[in-house]
Amino acid sequence: MVIGHPENGDLAAVGIAVPVPQTALPAPDQPGDGTPEPLATTSDAAAGRPPGRGPRGASAEEVPAGGPFGLVAGWWPVAFSSEISTSPRGVPLGSGQIVVYRDEDRVARALTDRCPHRRVPLSMGTVTSAGLRCGYHGWVFDGASGRCTVIPDLGPQIPPDRIRVAAHPVVEKGGFVFVWSGSGAPGPFAPPLPLAGWDCARPKRWVARGVVEARAPHTELAHALVVNPGAALGLGWLLGGGDEMLGPHVVVDGAGVVARRSRLTWSLPRRRTYDPVSKRTTAATVAMTAATGMTVAVAETPAGREVAWVVIGLTPVGAYRTRVRWRVETRGVGGRLVAAICCLTAAGRLSAGRGTAHKLETAADASCGGWDPAVEALRELRAGLPVNPAPRR
Amino acid sequence: MTITGTATERPDARTTVSPESSPASGQTDFRPGTFALRDAWFPVVHTRLMGRRPVLRPIHGQPIYLWRENGTLKASEDSPEDRERGRYRTSEFTAGTGFYPTGERYGYAWVWYGDPAAASLDLIPRLPHLPVDGGLPRHFLSNVVFDCGYELVCDNLLDLSHADLLHSWQQRVAGSEITVSSTSETVTMARFARGRPVAKASSRKLHADRQDFRMVTLVHVRSGVCVLYGSYEPGMSVRMLHPANPESANRTRTPITFDLQQVSPLVRHLSPLSGHLIGRQDNWALSAQNQRYFPTADGSGGPDLNSRFDIAGLRYRKVYQDLVARQRLGDYSYLPDGDPGRDVTAEIEGS
């Protein structure tokens, strides 16, 4: 399905104002408390929504979240592969907390971060040959099944089978560690968005990466990234961060959305109604999975050659906080130049004491008021996701 | 100045669970910090450390300022400076006077938290191994603060199986005989190990390779007063008072008294310092554990699972929850078997 393409003549889809018919205004003698009903907006009319029902409300109500983490069922990125070691690490995910570690065979494992004995976080424990050992009383849990294998004072006696902690399926792909958030059997791991030409199994030379925690809900941050990832991540020079010039060309498949657009490279202040100083444009394709917001943004040269892949993983941390992991991958000769600039800008940003959280938060706030066909498509896809049932206790 | 706190906002009314709710379970309904047990004496401060300057020692969030005035112990809801400025907090815990019932015994200033009309010095727990009039030297005393509710500190003292990991220099539990007994107000755990190996440093002095060991922990559930009595034969004996004063749902102060017998003067002087060494190790786990016992909006968390080594802790939860259930219904009295002032010498010494 292709929506919102300017060539289709869908002017409202690209944000051009459509006159609102006068009949949409409430009658002066309308019964009620005297407060007029909200007016129909351009985006409401274009999207076919009831008047006054903003996009923010729609997304908050219709996501079929649930399961052990209050999230839709899916593979959620919780860490970079290099972040996980034999030292257990507590990771918040949605409304829950998990402990992620590598066992003695270097296999990544994820358990609920709570010892069922006295509730101490298992992330305070240590990895042994028998599993993850709680630091308080020494109960040991197998990373694959979650079953308790050792209670120290029982000696060689095997603990009852009912003593176990929830074990969550884990896969490692493309430099990320993904954890399954459903309460049932895990679904197959689909490489995020093969549409964008990013193959997580194909190694590339990564050049830069970072973790940013933004005070913004997951869905709004995802919307900001699908609309303008360059501005949100401070990578405008690579992906384009200014006004939208061409597009968006939005393709929707069963799992996600791919949007291609061309933007002004630099978001520079503009004097009144004059043209911007720099008119350079940059094209980029952004592909995002609807369920988890896993994103690949592909930067292109003016000649249309792909030069860099920006892979972005979003980890919801509570209701209003999201951890963003991004890494820039390049290949080829041009990639070396991109690599050098990425390293320089990242180092410069760090040395100046500036992170990118404020850019992400500003972009997330701005995404609440706008309208974009890619965002609408994401909302519809999320609303159609199956309900994630709560786990049995 | 606005002073908060009304009859309907008592600290012991923090819980929202109705009294008619289903019977409490030690595995799921143990919620430290959500209910303040009252009508009990709390040893809030060592009298040796008190002077004219007031000290603040809250109990269950209720302010208690203590100081000496012409040699007399005073405990009020406001500091003397505030009282001079005309601020008088009065609550049901002081019956409108602003001053708490107090007593001095065993080297502690005891404060009654509850209905002043029910305060009786006979209800101060009997501590057979401490001099009634105090007088122990300064280096016997220690103050350790934990970042958790006092229920978890008491639970920790009754829990032996954590010692192997957290305090790995201590002896293993395996091979010990453990007996647990309880009343409506106390839980007592006695642990006896016969012929345990003696540390190399001590064996030459004791002229023995093995010794018998007996450790008794008696917990007064309502007040958190814990009596620890350990004896090594041959060897030293350890007599400790380990109060767990609930300052808030996240903070417990333990003004400890150490009394080691049959040891060198150097060990006697240094032993109180171990309170902070061991306390730091325990606090590492307790502070992380504490918030996970608070009720959550969605009721998530699940029950605690137990092994057979958790008998004493489970008995503590049972007595605690029975007390909570009674106090929710307005019954703050002590049952006949739960007199805190009873003589517990035989219970502790095992004779």
Side-chain angles (χ1 to χ4, degrees):
Chain A
M1 180 174 62
V2 179
I3 60 172
H5 195 276
E7 291 169 6
N8 295 345
D10 188 357
L11 298 180
V14 291
I16 296 173
V18 175
V20 180
Q22 196 63 34
T23 52
L25 294 171
D29 56 349
Q30 201 170 11
D33 58 0
T35 308
E37 288 293 313
L39 300 181
T41 61
T42 304
S43 56
D44 286 337
R49 287 194 296 265
R53 186 176 178 189
R56 186 173 190 169
S59 67
E61 290 164 11
E62 292 170 11
V63 176
F69 304 106
L71 301 171
V72 297
W75 291 98
W76 291 84
V78 296
F80 288 127
S81 288
S82 54
E83 288 181 282
I84 305 302
S85 69
T86 50
S87 296
R89 184 188 182 100
V91 178
L93 175 62
S95 58
Q97 185 88 17
I98 56 174
V99 52
V100 188
Y101 67 97
R102 290 191 191 282
D103 62 17
E104 291 205 328
D105 298 326
R106 307 293 299 170
V107 179
R109 303 289 188 192
L111 301 171
T112 295
D113 195 11
R114 175 189 182 276
C115 178
H117 180 215
R118 288 295 178 264
R119 310 189 189 190
V120 173
L122 289 173
S123 52
M124 294 164 66
T126 51
V127 175
T128 67
S129 57
L132 180 60
R133 188 178 70 177
C134 176
Y136 195 12
H137 295 92
W139 288 25
V140 181
F141 299 91
D142 176 49
S145 64
R147 193 182 158 191
C148 181
T149 54
V150 176
I151 294 178
D153 296 316
L154 283 179
Q157 193 178 338
I158 296 174
D161 185 53
R162 67 181 175 81
I163 300 181
R164 55 176 63 221
V165 65
H168 306 285
V170 184
V171 294
E172 281 189 82
K173 296 283 184 187
F176 285 85
V177 176
F178 295 88
V179 169
W180 176 254
S181 64
S183 49
F189 180 83
L193 305 157
L195 302 172
W198 179 72
D199 182 2
C200 62
R202 183 175 174 184
K204 301 173 185 68
R205 182 181 170 195
W206 65 269
V207 293
R209 66 169 199 184
V211 183
V212 185
E213 190 165 307
R215 294 187 189 94
H218 169 264
T219 50
E220 287 172 13
L221 210 48
H223 295 167
L225 287 168
V226 82
V227 172
N228 194 346
L233 289 173
L235 294 173
W237 61 273
L238 185 64
L239 300 169
D243 291 342
E244 193 170 289
M245 302 299 288
L246 296 173
H249 185 97
V250 180
V251 179
V252 182
D253 78 348
V257 170
V258 180
R260 185 175 189 283
R261 36 185 127 217
S262 181
R263 292 183 171 279
L264 289 175
T265 305
W266 311 108
S267 178
L268 298 172
R270 200 155 60 89
R271 183 176 167 78
R272 293 182 189 148
T273 51
Y274 293 98
D275 248 350
V277 176
S278 168
K279 300 174 190 62
R280 186 181 166 220
T281 59
T282 301
T285 302
V286 181
M288 178 178 282
T289 46
T292 63
M294 190 74 191
T295 304
V296 180
V298 187
E300 299 173 8
T301 62
R305 194 169 65 84
E306 296 174 345
V307 291
W309 288 258
V310 183
V311 188
I312 308 160
L314 303 180
T315 311
V317 184
Y320 202 80
R321 201 171 274 258
T322 307
R323 204 163 282 172
V324 181
R325 287 182 173 80
W326 59 270
R327 62 182 245 163
V328 179
E329 301 175 354
T330 64
R331 63 183 176 208
V333 180
R336 294 192 178 183
L337 181 62
V338 172
I341 299 172
C342 274
C343 290
L344 283 172
T345 52
R349 205 178 289 130
L350 282 176
S351 61
R354 293 179 59 203
T356 50
H358 68 288
K359 289 181 186 290
L360 281 164
E361 289 158 8
T362 306
D365 290 344
S367 75
C368 300
W371 186 88
D372 188 89
V375 171
E376 284 303 302
L378 280 174
R379 285 200 182 106
E380 285 177 17
L381 284 172
R382 275 201 296 266
L385 290 170
V387 173
N388 190 9
R392 285 188 305 165
R393 297 195 187 286
Chain B
M1 182 176 292
T2 304
I3 298 172
T4 59
T6 64
T8 57
E9 294 173 342
R10 295 188 328 235
D12 57 349
R14 283 184 291 210
T15 180
T16 56
V17 179
S18 67
E20 295 80 21
S21 60
S22 57
S25 156
Q27 298 182 16
T28 56
D29 299 330
F30 181 57
R31 300 289 184 200
T34 57
F35 192 90
L37 293 171
R38 53 182 286 178
D39 279 30
W41 288 99
F42 287 88
V44 289
V45 65
H46 295 111
T47 50
R48 184 173 280 278
L49 306 180
M50 278 185 56
R52 283 177 297 179
R53 179 179 295 220
V55 292
L56 174 61
R57 293 285 184 267
I59 292 293
H60 291 305
Q62 183 74 10
I64 301 175
Y65 290 88
L66 297 112
W67 73 97
R68 282 197 189 281
E69 197 171 281
N70 301 322
T72 308
L73 174 66
K74 297 277 186 183
S76 83
E77 296 189 50
D78 294 292
S79 68
E81 291 81 5
D82 282 341
R83 296 183 72 81
E84 284 172 11
R85 284 196 286 265
R87 169 170 157 164
Y88 296 98
R89 257 188 290 219
T90 56
S91 70
E92 59 178 317
F93 297 106
T94 55
T97 64
F99 288 94
Y100 295 93
T102 57
E104 286 190 64
R105 211 173 268 187
Y106 307 115
Y108 286 89
W110 297 76
V111 172
W112 177 259
Y113 176 84
D115 179 8
S120 163
L121 290 175
D122 294 337
L123 293 175
I124 291 180
R126 180 83 65 94
L127 309 174
H129 300 107
L130 289 181
V132 175
D133 54 353
L136 291 175
R138 170 72 182 82
H139 62 262
F140 277 31
L141 315 177
S142 181
N143 246 301
V144 181
V145 178
F146 293 93
D147 302 311
C148 63
Y150 82 127
E151 300 93 335
L152 290 181
V153 175
C154 296
D155 192 35
N156 175 275
L157 287 170
L158 290 167
D159 170 25
L160 296 171
S161 55
H162 76 277
D164 291 339
L165 276 168
L166 279 187
H167 321 302
S168 53
W169 50 272
Q170 289 193 345
Q171 62 284 343
R172 290 189 62 83
V173 181
S176 303
E177 292 172 23
I178 298 170
T179 56
V180 178
S181 59
S182 63
T183 68
S184 59
E185 295 285 338
T186 61
V187 176
T188 307
M189 181 188 66
R191 172 180 156 204
F192 181 68
R194 190 183 298 276
R196 67 182 282 275
V198 179
K200 280 185 181 175
S202 307
S203 61
R204 198 165 50 182
K205 186 179 175 187
L206 295 175
H207 305 292
D209 295 332
R210 297 193 170 268
Q211 62 187 169
D212 296 342
F213 165 71
R214 187 170 187 280
M215 182 79 194
V216 177
T217 306
L218 188 153
V219 176
H220 291 265
V221 176
R222 197 183 294 223
S223 62
V225 171
C226 304
V227 182
L228 307 179
Y229 180 85
S231 62
Y232 298 80
E233 187 60 45
M236 65 176 179
S237 68
V238 182
R239 301 164 180 188
M240 281 176 62
L241 182 65
H242 192 299
N245 292 333
E247 294 198 340
S248 73
N250 298 300
R251 183 180 164 92
T252 299
R253 181 181 293 275
T254 60
I256 308 171
T257 296
F258 290 78
D259 185 6
L260 269 64
Q261 308 269 328
Q262 299 163 32
V263 293
S264 66
L266 181 66
V267 174
R268 264 167 91 88
H269 276 73
L270 293 180
S271 60
L273 297 176
S274 68
H276 287 284
L277 292 176
I278 299 172
R280 180 183 167 190
Q281 293 166 342
D282 283 325
N283 196 42
W284 174 78
L286 294 175
S287 58
Q289 194 187 12
N290 190 52
Q291 60 178 341
R292 297 182 169 219
Y293 278 94
F294 291 145
T296 53
D298 59 352
S300 62
D304 286 354
L305 303 179
N306 301 283
S307 74
R308 64 170 182 262
F309 303 97
D310 299 316
I311 296 170
L314 290 175
R315 188 72 65 87
Y316 170 81
R317 293 180 180 203
K318 175 78 170 62
V319 174
Y320 174 85
Q321 284 169 186
D322 287 350
L323 276 172
V324 169
R326 281 177 53 212
Q327 295 210 353
R328 275 195 187 128
L329 297 171
D331 179 8
Y332 306 115
S333 64
Y334 287 85
L335 298 180
D337 70 332
D339 177 15
R342 69 190 161 90
D343 188 4
V344 293
T345 309
E347 197 175 333
I348 287 176
E349 294 184 351
S351 55

